[in-house]
Amino acid sequence: MKVYFDNAATTAIDLEVFEAMKPYMLEHFGNPSSIHSHGRQVRTAIERSRKKVADLLNAAPAEVFFTSGGTEADNTALRCTVNDKGIKHVISSKIEHHAVLHTVEQLEKDGVKVSYVNLDENGVVDYDHLESLLKKEPNSLVSLMHANNEIGNLLDLERVGDMCEEHNAVFHSDTVQSMAHYVHDMSRLKLDFAVGSAHKFHGPKGVGFLYINHKNKIHPFIHGGAQERNMRGGTENVYGIVGLAKAMEIAYAEMESHRKHIEGLKTHMIEKLKASIDGIAFNGVSDDLDKSLYTVLNVCLPPNDDNDMLLFNLDIAGISASGGSACSSGSSIGSHVLAELNRDQNRGAIRFSFSKYNTLEEVDYAVEKLAELYQPETTSA
Ligand code: PLP
C-alpha cells in the first residue's frame, strides 16, 4: 500500500485543474504581452484568473499579483513594506516558515529592528505580548502566519488585524497553508498582505499570488518588463496562473465537504493513535480541532532507540510523511518550530498532513505500521 500523508509539503494536482491548464500549454502559447491575437487571448486568460481569485477573496482584481509561489510573495511583502513604507521595526515569531524567518533575519542584518513575539509551550502566540510590542513601537510591520505548516497552530487573524489597526501597524500574514482551505474575506479581515501558493491546494507548483490591500502602495520587487502592472517583471506563468485559479475555484466550491472529510480522518487518527500507542501525545495544539489547521496532525511519539529511523521505517512501509525531530544530539539540523516548543527532545515527531484524496483505510494502515514500531519490547523507555 502506498499512502501520501505529506499534503502540507505539496498536494497532488486535481485532474480538472490539469485539464484547464492543458490548452495553455498546447494551443494558446502566445506571450500575454504581445498585442496580436495569440497574445491577447492569453492575456484575457490571466485577467480572468485574477478576477476569479479576487472574487473568491472578496477583493479587487487590482489587489492580486501573481508570483512564482509563496516564498516570492512573502519576500515581496516584507522587503517592499520595509523599503517603501519606511518601517524600522518588524514583529514576527520564531516559528514562521523560512520564507518569512530568513527574510526577517536578512532585514535585521540590513539594520531593521526585529522583535519576536512570545509563544507559550505549545507555540501559541501571546497576544498580550504582541499588544505590548505594538504599544511600545507603533508603525511596525507585523508578520505572523495564519496556520503553522509543521504543527498547524492557527492565529486569530481578526484579533491581530484589530491590534495592528489600533497601533497603525502593517499586517502581513503568511497564509500559504490556510489559503483555499478556509474562506479569507479580505473586505472584513484587516490584512495588508496575504499569500497563496497553488501547490498547497491541488494546483500546480511554482505559482502563487500576493494579495496587497489597495491602501498599500509599494514599488516593484522584480525589475523588468511591465507585467503584473509594473510590479513584477517577467513573462507570466500562464498555465500556472490558469491552474491556480481553477484549483482555488474548486477548493472554495467543495470547501465544506473536504473539510468535513479531512476532519474525520484527523479525528480518526487521533483516536486510533491514542488507543494503539501508550504515551502518545501531539505537538502544538494539533489535536485540538478548533485551534489547529484541519489538514495537519503533528504526532509526538514516546522515546525510542529507533526514533531517528521513524520516517525511514514508515517510508519502507509505503507511507510518506514528514518529520522534524528537534535536534537533541546536535548531529542533525532539527525543526526550528519543534525546537521552540516545550517538549521532551528524546521524543519522535511526525507530521501527518491530509487531503481530500486520503481515506480512513489509509489512516488505519499508517497507525498500524506506526504502532508496530512502538511495541513494548522495542521501546527503551
Ligand atoms: N509559507 C508556508 C507556511 C509554507 O508552508 C510554504 C511551503 O511549504 C511556503 C511559505 C513557501 O511556499 P512556496 O513553496 O510556494 O514557495
Side-chain angles (χ1 to χ4, degrees), residues 51-67:
K51 168 102 173 58
K52 209 180 270 179
V53 172
D55 285 350
L56 294 172
L57 294 175
N58 211 358
E63 294 175 311
V64 175
F65 297 84
F66 292 115
T67 66

Side-chain angles (χ1 to χ4, degrees), residues 108-381:
E108 193 169 21
K109 281 188 191 145
D110 296 346
V112 176
K113 183 177 163 198
V114 176
S115 303
Y116 293 99
V117 69
N118 292 342
L119 306 169
D120 75 7
E121 75 262 20
N122 286 318
V124 176
V125 164
D126 178 342
Y127 293 95
D128 292 336
H129 183 232
L130 177 61
E131 177 104 57
S132 72
L133 289 172
L134 283 166
K135 250 188 209 151
K136 233 187 289 166
E137 286 193 59
N139 310 312
S140 298
L141 163 62
V142 172
S143 179
L144 291 171
M145 69 204 308
H146 182 206
N148 187 278
N149 50 302
E150 289 195 38
I151 51 176
N153 287 15
L154 287 172
L155 184 81
D156 186 339
L157 286 180
E158 295 182 18
R159 187 165 174 191
V160 177
D162 285 342
M163 281 186 205
C164 288
E165 183 181 60
E166 191 185 338
H167 299 288
N168 203 25
V170 178
F171 183 22
H172 161 256
S173 184
D174 178 346
T175 47
V176 164
Q177 287 292 339
S178 61
M179 187 56 70
H181 295 281
Y182 294 83
V183 171
H184 289 95
D185 179 351
M186 298 304 179
S187 72
R188 231 172 27 80
L189 292 168
K190 292 165 184 167
L191 274 163
D192 291 288
F193 298 91
V195 177
S197 178
H199 73 109
K200 307 291 187 184
F201 49 87
H202 304 289
K205 294 172 180 55
V207 61
F209 66 86
L210 175 62
Y211 159 83
I212 308 181
N213 183 284
H214 64 274
K215 292 188 306 247
N216 296 280
K217 301 283 174 253
I218 62 171
H219 294 117
F221 181 63
I222 295 181
H223 298 274
Q227 291 92 350
E228 295 299 289
R229 296 186 308 291
N230 278 316
M231 282 291 294
R232 179 185 186 265
T235 303
E236 296 90 335
N237 175 0
V238 180
Y239 34 82
I241 290 169
V242 168
L244 180 151
K246 184 69 188 174
M248 201 155 154
E249 188 181 31
I250 296 171
Y252 266 72
E254 298 173 1
M255 197 176 279
E256 275 321 301
S257 63
H258 289 167
R259 180 173 177 160
K260 217 167 144 217
H261 171 68
I262 295 168
E263 279 182 348
L265 300 175
K266 181 167 164 170
T267 309
H268 186 63
M269 188 176 245
I270 293 170
E271 283 164 5
K272 276 241 147 189
L273 283 170
K274 282 183 178 165
S276 322
I277 303 176
D278 277 347
I280 197 95
F282 300 93
N283 291 312
V285 289
S286 69
D287 57 331
D288 185 333
L289 254 57
D290 294 331
K291 294 185 180 149
S292 69
L293 180 62
Y294 57 90
T295 52
V296 166
L297 182 65
N298 197 312
V299 182
C300 181
L301 292 146
N304 182 314
D305 288 344
D306 293 332
N307 269 351
D308 286 350
M309 304 290 283
L310 254 177
L311 282 181
F312 179 72
N313 285 329
L314 286 181
D315 193 21
I316 287 178
I319 300 158
S320 297
S322 105
S325 58
C327 167
S328 55
S329 61
S331 61
S332 63
I333 300 171
S335 151
H336 70 284
V337 176
L338 296 182
E340 290 298 317
L341 309 182
N342 181 18
R343 61 187 292 279
D344 177 353
Q345 307 284 304
N346 293 314
R347 284 177 154 258
I350 298 194
R351 177 189 69 183
F352 292 104
S353 48
F354 314 101
S355 84
K356 60 181 177 179
Y357 295 130
N358 289 124
T359 63
L360 284 173
E361 290 70 36
E362 291 175 334
V363 171
D364 287 341
Y365 177 72
V367 174
E368 182 193 315
K369 290 293 159 194
L370 195 56
E372 281 172 16
L373 303 174
Y374 289 90
Q375 293 308 306
E377 64 270 22
T378 64
T379 51
S380 64

Side-chain angles (χ1 to χ4, degrees), residues 27-32 34-43:
E27 290 161 59
H28 312 311
F29 57 85
N31 188 318
S34 302
I35 52 171
H36 49 60
S37 65
H38 283 78
R40 287 200 308 273
Q41 191 174 36
V42 174
R43 158 82 32 228

